[in-house]
């Protein structure tokens, strides 16, 4: 595991492997090498939510948004945001 990296006011727990901005431009989803998904508020630049995918078996390869849903492509996991 890599040491924590700080970028501005954001702390990334491991190497980022993919990014996706929500259609409304309010959220940034970050997939990490260690299977972690982080959700950041672009307005406040604060971490709002994190979840590690237990059975994913490795890095997050691709994230995708619909209007109110974040999907982890390839793992067929969906997170409703409402």
């Amino acid at each position: 595991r890599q040491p924590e990296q700080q970028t501005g006011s954001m702390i990334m727990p491991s190497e980022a492997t993919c990014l996706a901005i929500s259609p409304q431009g309010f959220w940034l989803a970050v997939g990490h090498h260690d299977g972690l998904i982080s959700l950041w508020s672009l307005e406040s630049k604060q971490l709002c939510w994190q979840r590690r995918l237990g059975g994913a078996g490795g890095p997050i390869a691709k994230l995708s948004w619909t209007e109110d849903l974040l999907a982890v492509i390839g793992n067929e996991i969906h997170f409703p945001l409402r």
Side-chain angles (χ1 to χ4, degrees):
R1 182 173 170 151
Q2 294 182 344
E4 290 187 350
Q5 302 171 8
Q6 187 168 353
T7 305
S9 64
M10 298 180 182
I11 297 174
M12 302 301 236
S14 72
E15 179 182 332
T17 54
C18 58
L19 304 169
I21 296 175
S22 67
Q24 302 85 4
F26 298 124
W27 304 104
L28 171 66
V30 182
H32 298 275
H33 190 277
D34 59 1
L36 185 73
I37 298 171
S38 301
L39 185 65
W40 295 86
S41 165
L42 291 174
E43 183 177 349
S44 69
K45 297 179 176 62
Q46 297 294 314
L47 177 64
C48 299
W49 179 87
Q50 285 186 316
R51 182 167 180 184
R52 188 175 314 280
L53 299 181
I60 304 298
K62 185 175 180 184
L63 298 168
S64 181
W65 288 92
T66 63
E67 189 165 324
D68 61 353
L69 185 75
L70 174 63
V72 182
I73 307 302
N75 295 321
E76 298 183 22
I77 300 169
H78 302 91
F79 300 104
L81 297 176
R82 291 187 186 193

